[in-house]
Amino acid sequence: MNISKFVAPEIIFGIGGLEQAGESCRRLGARKALIVSDAGVLEAGWVEHIITFCRNSGLEYELFYSITSNPKDYEVTAGALHYRQTDCDAVIGVGGGSAIDAAKAIAILATNEGVIHDYEGIDNIHTPLPPMVMIATTAGSGSEVSQFSVIVDSTRQVKMTIISKSLVPDIAIIDPRTLATKDTELTAETGMDVLTHGIEAFVSVAATPLTDVQAKNAISLVSKHLRASTASRTNEEAKTAMAMASLQAGLAFSNAILGAVHAMSHAIGGCLDLPHGKLNAILLPYVMEYNYLAAPEKFMHIAELMGQNVSGMTVAEAGKRAIHHVRMLATDIDIPARLSDIGLDDARIPELSRAAREDACLITNPRDMSVRDLEALFYRAL
């Protein structure tokens, strides 16, 4: 008998959800929260809103926003020190994947000894974390509902993937209004990150009926609404749909894990400070071409989820149609086609291939991959 597990936080979704930030933390028993964010979210005004709602609920707070894109180990160390020195007892993360991943990592060090590197890998957290409320502002990472935190080891120049059910936040808040302050480029990149989450979770060897429902809905929503969301900051229907897609893709990959796209993008992101969503968007069709052999019927279904009529097609034809339409979507929203377009050169490919081979996300990729396979795929995408 197969047994499936599905972990998820309490989820608050919809316009006005931000207003529950302080009250949500209070009912978890918190007295004083460390609000973790970054300069971009601060500038957009969302942290100020969260502070107001914390004050209204009687929740004390401290603010830490020294987080960069692709959060670093030393930023996590500084955040954890600030947490302890200011006598906080909860963590609120506000932002996209960078801020929320950092907030989770800070929560690890708030109650566990050592350095963040000690927790790399799967199930290495042994002491319960403080209450965590995560507030997503990008419709991209899904980190607000996942059991992942990805942090750059600045010495080794690799991204450390930390996976543990302890990292699933207590409460996730998703308010589509926050998407109105994202620029076109960020909307496109984070939206393709959502599509990558949905597709990788759907074809993962750890996929279950519980994750498939979430992954399929996410793929369909992105296919229908990402172009419109990229075209207009004020399209509330498209923003709400993309927020839901991000949430559902996050629930899917948190439980089914991911695959080679993320293993490869983590390898690049560890040594080159490039946007995670953009890397995933470029790599996705190349990895789909490689993985097709392992799950052809699922690729046919992906084409259907993307709105393609595959009636009368062979499985192979339908699978190719799915890959083609991923490329078309990326082209329509101005995603670069190749890694060389964003500055990657072939000298680093052997090193990147070795790093990707060690990434935990590769464990659930549907087709086996050696270092040589990864090298070939990197060169193909270059």
Side-chain angles (χ1 to χ4, degrees), residues 79-210:
L81 181 62
H82 191 69
Y83 176 99
R84 291 191 294 268
Q85 288 181 336
T86 55
D87 195 28
C88 291
D89 59 4
V91 175
I92 299 176
V94 187
S98 296
I100 293 177
D101 278 8
K104 292 180 184 179
I106 288 168
I108 294 172
L109 295 186
T111 55
N112 288 267
E113 307 242 336
V115 293
I116 198 60
H117 313 73
D118 298 333
Y119 302 96
E120 183 178 6
I122 302 172
D123 292 335
N124 291 320
I125 300 170
H126 304 296
T127 303
L129 274 54
M132 294 189 292
V133 176
M134 298 298 159
I135 302 167
T137 64
T138 61
S141 75
S143 187
E144 72 279 3
V145 295
S146 83
Q147 55 178 318
F148 282 67
S149 176
V150 181
I151 304 296
V152 173
D153 180 328
S154 57
T155 302
R156 291 186 294 155
Q157 290 194 313
V158 297
K159 281 192 169 184
M160 301 179 290
T161 302
I162 304 168
I163 306 174
S164 170
K165 289 179 176 60
S166 297
L167 291 175
V168 177
D170 296 284
I171 300 174
I173 298 175
I174 303 98
D175 188 331
R177 289 180 305 174
T178 61
L179 307 187
T181 56
K182 291 169 61 183
D183 62 30
T184 298
E185 186 176 15
L186 184 59
T187 300
E189 292 169 3
T190 53
M192 289 299 293
D193 196 16
V194 174
L195 183 63
T196 305
H197 293 155
I199 289 174
E200 291 215 290
F202 185 52
V203 303
S204 163
V205 297
T208 70
L210 289 169

Side-chain angles (χ1 to χ4, degrees), residues 69-70 131 142-143 173 183 210 223 238 347 355 371 374:
S69 175
N70 299 311
S143 187
I173 298 175
D183 62 30
L210 289 169
S223 303
V371 172
L374 286 158

Side-chain angles (χ1 to χ4, degrees), residues 38-115:
D38 60 47
V41 179
L42 200 68
E43 186 179 345
W46 299 117
V47 173
E48 187 176 339
H49 284 287
I50 300 303
I51 287 172
T52 298
F53 301 136
C54 287
R55 285 174 178 158
N56 291 347
S57 65
L59 181 72
E60 296 180 53
Y61 65 89
E62 286 288 328
L63 179 59
F64 181 80
Y65 61 94
S66 299
I67 302 297
T68 57
S69 175
N70 299 311
K72 317 297 186 292
D73 44 12
Y74 54 84
E75 296 166 357
V76 171
T77 300
L81 181 62
H82 191 69
Y83 176 99
R84 291 191 294 268
Q85 288 181 336
T86 55
D87 195 28
C88 291
D89 59 4
V91 175
I92 299 176
V94 187
S98 296
I100 293 177
D101 278 8
K104 292 180 184 179
I106 288 168
I108 294 172
L109 295 186
T111 55
N112 288 267
E113 307 242 336
V115 293

Side-chain angles (χ1 to χ4, degrees), residues 83-373:
Y83 176 99
R84 291 191 294 268
Q85 288 181 336
T86 55
D87 195 28
C88 291
D89 59 4
V91 175
I92 299 176
V94 187
S98 296
I100 293 177
D101 278 8
K104 292 180 184 179
I106 288 168
I108 294 172
L109 295 186
T111 55
N112 288 267
E113 307 242 336
V115 293
I116 198 60
H117 313 73
D118 298 333
Y119 302 96
E120 183 178 6
I122 302 172
D123 292 335
N124 291 320
I125 300 170
H126 304 296
T127 303
L129 274 54
M132 294 189 292
V133 176
M134 298 298 159
I135 302 167
T137 64
T138 61
S141 75
S143 187
E144 72 279 3
V145 295
S146 83
Q147 55 178 318
F148 282 67
S149 176
V150 181
I151 304 296
V152 173
D153 180 328
S154 57
T155 302
R156 291 186 294 155
Q157 290 194 313
V158 297
K159 281 192 169 184
M160 301 179 290
T161 302
I162 304 168
I163 306 174
S164 170
K165 289 179 176 60
S166 297
L167 291 175
V168 177
D170 296 284
I171 300 174
I173 298 175
I174 303 98
D175 188 331
R177 289 180 305 174
T178 61
L179 307 187
T181 56
K182 291 169 61 183
D183 62 30
T184 298
E185 186 176 15
L186 184 59
T187 300
E189 292 169 3
T190 53
M192 289 299 293
D193 196 16
V194 174
L195 183 63
T196 305
H197 293 155
I199 289 174
E200 291 215 290
F202 185 52
V203 303
S204 163
V205 297
T208 70
L210 289 169
T211 62
D212 281 352
V213 170
Q214 307 294 336
K216 290 191 289 187
N217 284 345
I219 294 166
S220 180
L221 285 169
V222 173
S223 303
K224 290 176 183 174
H225 297 282
L226 179 54
R227 290 177 178 88
S229 182
T230 303
S232 170
R233 291 192 183 201
T234 58
N235 187 328
E236 188 173 295
E237 179 186 1
K239 300 302 183 189
T240 300
M242 285 305 301
M244 179 58 75
S246 179
L247 167 62
Q248 293 189 300
L251 291 168
F253 88 75
S254 178
N255 290 278
I257 319 301
L258 291 158
V261 177
H262 275 77
M264 294 170 75
S265 68
H266 287 163
I268 300 170
C271 61
L272 299 173
D273 203 15
L274 295 169
H276 174 70
K278 182 178 286 186
L279 292 171
N280 282 347
I282 295 170
L283 289 165
L284 178 59
Y286 297 100
V287 173
M288 289 176 71
E289 287 174 336
Y290 179 86
N291 280 340
Y292 166 78
L293 191 66
E297 291 81 10
K298 285 202 167 186
F299 278 75
M300 179 174 68
H301 200 26
I302 289 169
E304 293 175 319
L305 292 166
M306 297 188 75
Q308 301 307 301
N309 183 358
V310 299
S311 178
M313 291 184 185
T314 65
V315 174
E317 288 169 340
K320 289 177 182 176
R321 181 67 64 90
I323 298 164
H324 171 72
H325 277 273
V326 168
R327 281 201 166 98
M328 288 292 294
L329 174 57
T331 298
D332 286 348
I333 58 176
D334 294 327
I335 297 291
R338 314 194 72 83
L339 293 171
S340 55
D341 295 335
I342 57 172
L344 187 69
D345 63 74
D346 59 4
R348 304 201 77 147
I349 286 179
E351 166 197 354
L352 295 175
S353 301
R354 290 191 295 271
R357 186 63 188 85
E358 298 303 313
D359 193 281
C361 291
L362 204 63
I363 296 169
T364 46
N365 194 66
R367 186 176 175 187
D368 293 344
M369 297 194 80
S370 65
V371 172
R372 183 173 294 180
D373 294 327

